[in-house]
Amino acid sequence: MKKLIISLAIALLQFGSSAIAADSDTLTVRIKAMRCDDCAHKVMTALTKNSGVEDVQFNLERRTASIIYNPDAVTPDTLCTILDATRRYKASPYSPDEVIRRGIGFRIDDMHCKKCSDRITGRLNEMQGIDSLAPHLDKHYIFVRYDANRTTKDSIRTAINELGYTPVNYYTSDNVAFAYYNIKGKMPSQEAIDEVLTISAVEDVNVNTLRHTMAVTYFSKEISAERLHKAIRKAGIKAVVPPPHICKD
């Protein structure tokens, strides 16, 4: 019986040692040239050629890659060497304390007047990580500069949504247009919204449940406003083009 207990103890120690050896480490690095999903895919391809790399998680706003690896098979220096060998996607140190400035533009069709603008800028200025705000009422547009280590585009967009506005991605291009609708009846399901997002000409969609509105960023050279409206209705969303807004404020 004593020999059995000793044997079990040795087996447990051996199992523990192997479990510790199999533990993964994580290396997070900045990759400043990694700007899109295609870039991230190329970084993933380069890194996973090494059998010691188990997974890579990306944050495109911060332009970081968190590399999960087996320390018995590969070292951080080797991982950085792999990235440096791509020439474009070179690694640099990352710190959660550094300031990573990003800018994002939102088209907000229901931002009609200075009172609307003041409500939005007042709310965003309360958020941690907001660097500067530049609203343009004539274009229903606001540009936000922020620290991607302190907040995110999604958090900023959610804050605007919660005030009752409907922001979508804004771009300065002759090929980019914006549509804005009132929604009659019940709000659309996520499946219906996803169906609108699958329209090849659509770049972004946002629905505001407080205001019962939908905003869309789309490519006007690929689809007309009329065809877009029909496609949205076909998805089961009772979208109605609102009359011109007359601001009383």
Side-chain angles (χ1 to χ4, degrees):
M1 183 68 178
K2 189 174 181 181
K3 288 183 179 180
L4 178 60
I5 293 172
I6 293 171
S7 298
L8 285 170
I10 292 171
L12 286 169
L13 285 171
Q14 289 174 340
F15 175 80
S17 298
S18 62
I20 292 170
D23 281 350
S24 301
D25 280 350
T26 301
L27 172 69
T28 299
V29 294
R30 288 284 306 282
I31 305 176
K32 295 180 181 179
M34 184 179 69
R35 298 172 180 269
C36 63
D37 289 335
D38 186 51
C39 293
H41 176 72
K42 290 175 182 177
V43 171
M44 172 73 85
T45 300
L47 288 169
T48 52
K49 285 180 180 178
N50 188 299
S51 59
V53 176
E54 299 170 0
D55 193 16
V56 186
Q57 297 171 356
F58 299 98
N59 185 311
L60 290 177
E61 279 187 270
R62 296 174 184 165
R63 294 179 191 160
T64 60
S66 293
I67 309 164
I68 303 166
Y69 66 97
N70 180 349
D72 290 338
V74 67
T75 67
D77 286 345
T78 301
L79 296 173
C80 291
T81 299
I82 292 170
L83 291 170
D84 290 348
T86 67
R87 296 192 177 184
R88 180 175 181 181
Y89 303 112
K90 295 182 178 181
S92 61
Y94 166 72
S95 168
D97 297 322
E98 68 181 303
V99 174
I100 301 176
R101 287 191 173 88
R102 291 285 176 267
I104 182 68
F106 290 113
R107 167 80 174 213
I108 311 175
D109 272 282
D110 34 31
M111 182 178 71
H112 301 297
C113 61
K114 190 175 185 302
K115 185 176 179 180
C116 295
S117 171
D118 288 346
R119 285 190 70 206
I120 292 168
T121 56
R123 173 66 185 91
L124 296 185
N125 276 322
E126 293 173 354
M127 295 179 64
Q128 184 182 21
I130 298 298
D131 184 63
S132 63
L133 301 167
H136 301 267
L137 282 172
D138 57 330
K139 297 180 180 178
H140 300 281
Y141 158 71
I142 187 169
F143 182 79
V144 184
R145 188 168 292 282
Y146 65 100
D147 177 0
N149 253 341
R150 304 291 178 272
T151 190
T152 65
K153 171 189 170 182
D154 286 345
S155 297
I156 296 167
R157 178 163 162 154
T158 297
I160 299 172
N161 254 62
E162 288 173 349
L163 285 174
Y165 298 96
T166 321
V168 283
N169 294 339
Y170 178 89
Y171 305 99
T172 53
S173 168
D174 293 338
N175 187 31
V176 174
F178 309 93
Y180 180 80
Y181 309 99
N182 290 335
I183 298 174
K184 300 297 182 182
K186 67 177 183 179
M187 297 302 293
S189 64
Q190 187 58 51
E191 290 76 9
I193 296 170
D194 290 342
E195 187 173 339
V196 175
L197 279 166
T198 63
I199 300 170
S200 61
V202 170
E203 193 278 333
D204 188 27
V205 176
N206 189 18
V207 170
N208 191 293
T209 57
L210 295 175
R211 195 181 285 262
H212 279 241
T213 53
M214 168 185 271
V216 182
T217 304
Y218 67 99
F219 300 109
S220 57
K221 291 182 181 179
E222 298 177 33
I223 194 170
S224 66
E226 294 76 14
R227 283 176 53 211
L228 175 64
H229 190 196
K230 287 180 181 178
I232 291 171
R233 300 277 296 188
K234 188 177 179 181
I237 300 174
K238 295 181 179 179
V240 177
V241 178
H245 178 79
I246 301 174
C247 193
K248 297 178 182 179
D249 295 313

